[in-house]
Amino acid sequence: MKPVRFERLRDGKVIALLLVVALAVVVLLAQFAPTRSAFNAKLTDNGDSAGTAQYFTCSAAVGADIGSAVFAYRLGEASNATNATDQSANRANGTYQGTMTASTPSPNACPRDAGTSYLLNGSTSFVATPTAVTNPTTFSEEVWFRTTVAGGMLIGFGSNQTASSGQHDRQIYINTSGQLVFGAYSGTTQVVTSPKAYNDGAWHHVVSTMSASTGMRLYADGALVASNATYTAPENATGYWRIGYDTISGWPGAPSNYYFTGSMRYAAVYSTVLTAAQVSAHATAGR
């Protein structure tokens, strides 16, 4: 009986040892064998923001909201181009006025988008839209810009297509302190102004929105910087959207030179109020 018990005990130890060896082999094979298991990855770019951005390019960000765009200009044409090509289905190509100069500053806004930036000389350069619009009351305006000059109109609405407008409002401009101002007129001047200046030579993204239900809102670099919910109506007028120049006479802090001096990319106007999330996504895509 004793030999039998000895053999059973020995057999159990052998089996246990074999199990340990087999487990070790499985572990080693798992370490070195190919695997299809999930993993996390992060894309990075020169701004280290592409990995978490909802959209990789400004073109994709604008494209996501293109259904409500009145026009969307990349402003990436070659020097001496005549037309600013409209990305929207409206095909409302703008016309470059004065000198059209393409440049590729470093860094550039929307660095993952093809094309150059539009360099405005502060004396003759601006873009006029082709078709008059009757009293837009719900809208969003958007543009990327870079400047070191305190003053100049970025984007707005005026009664004249190319000359100085008699009626002018729905305007985003830079005042003599370098702050962003969004202005509308409804019997009285209505403005909201950013607390800080943006004429620091860096690229900035600005959006203004207005409607009867939301009032006036001004965003800079994806964040709301000024608003007034009681300012709900712009001037009842027919006119053209203008980029880079129109009169801003009579507005608070208006400079003597109304032309914008600096660089621009991706200017657009929408017939809806962009949400805070949409504005943030557009801004992040350009970093």
Side-chain angles (χ1 to χ4, degrees):
M1 296 298 293
K2 289 181 179 179
V4 173
R5 285 196 301 272
F6 175 76
E7 288 298 320
R8 287 177 178 173
L9 181 60
R10 185 184 65 183
D11 291 344
K13 290 182 177 179
V14 170
I15 292 171
L17 178 61
L18 290 174
L19 288 173
V20 171
V21 171
L23 181 60
V25 170
V26 170
V27 172
L28 288 172
L29 289 174
Q31 289 180 344
F32 295 103
T35 178
R36 293 186 180 182
S37 59
F39 63 92
N40 293 321
K42 181 181 179 182
L43 295 173
T44 59
D45 66 356
N46 57 353
D48 197 29
S49 61
T52 56
Q54 183 177 358
Y55 304 108
F56 190 65
T57 63
C58 290
S59 184
V62 172
D65 302 306
I66 204 69
S68 65
V70 177
F71 65 82
Y73 301 151
R74 293 184 177 92
L75 304 180
E77 285 78 16
S79 292
N80 301 315
T82 301
N83 292 326
T85 303
D86 184 12
Q87 185 180 342
S88 81
N90 297 321
R91 299 296 183 262
N93 293 342
T95 303
Y96 287 110
Q97 306 292 320
T99 302
M100 192 290 167
T101 302
S103 68
T104 308
S106 182
N108 201 6
C110 307
R112 293 167 297 280
D113 289 89
T116 54
S117 294
Y118 175 31
L119 182 62
L120 292 84
N121 62 15
S123 60
T124 61
S125 304
F126 69 100
V127 179
T129 52
T131 306
V133 181
T134 301
N135 193 32
T137 57
T138 299
F139 59 89
S140 300
E141 303 168 272
E142 172 181 40
V143 67
W144 281 92
F145 71 95
R146 185 176 86 154
T147 187
T148 57
V149 176
M153 196 196 81
L154 291 166
I155 187 168
F157 187 77
S159 56
N160 197 292
Q161 186 176 24
T162 57
S164 180
S165 296
Q167 292 177 289
H168 54 96
D169 79 337
R170 304 161 175 88
Q171 294 177 310
I172 306 174
Y173 64 95
I174 301 173
N175 68 16
T176 52
S177 296
Q179 297 162 291
L180 292 170
V181 182
F182 172 37
Y185 181 83
S186 182
T188 59
T189 298
Q190 307 175 152
V191 298
V192 292
T193 305
S194 69
K196 61 175 285 187
Y198 291 88
N199 61 323
D200 55 3
W203 280 103
H204 296 289
H205 177 253
V206 63
V207 170
S208 67
T209 70
M210 189 172 192
S211 74
S213 60
T214 62
M216 297 175 70
R217 296 174 181 170
L218 178 64
Y219 297 83
D221 297 330
L224 183 67
V225 295
S227 64
N228 192 321
T230 66
Y231 292 165
T232 58
E235 184 174 17
N236 188 346
T238 296
Y240 302 82
W241 296 103
R242 306 267 298 261
I243 302 163
Y245 166 72
D246 200 352
T247 181
I248 43 180
S249 175
W251 295 104
S256 57
N257 182 14
Y258 306 143
Y259 285 91
F260 172 76
T261 306
S263 298
M264 288 185 173
R265 286 202 95 181
Y266 282 88
V269 169
Y270 306 85
S271 60
T272 60
V273 170
L274 294 180
T275 66
Q278 288 172 308
V279 173
S280 177
H282 286 212
T284 303
R287 296 298 181 190

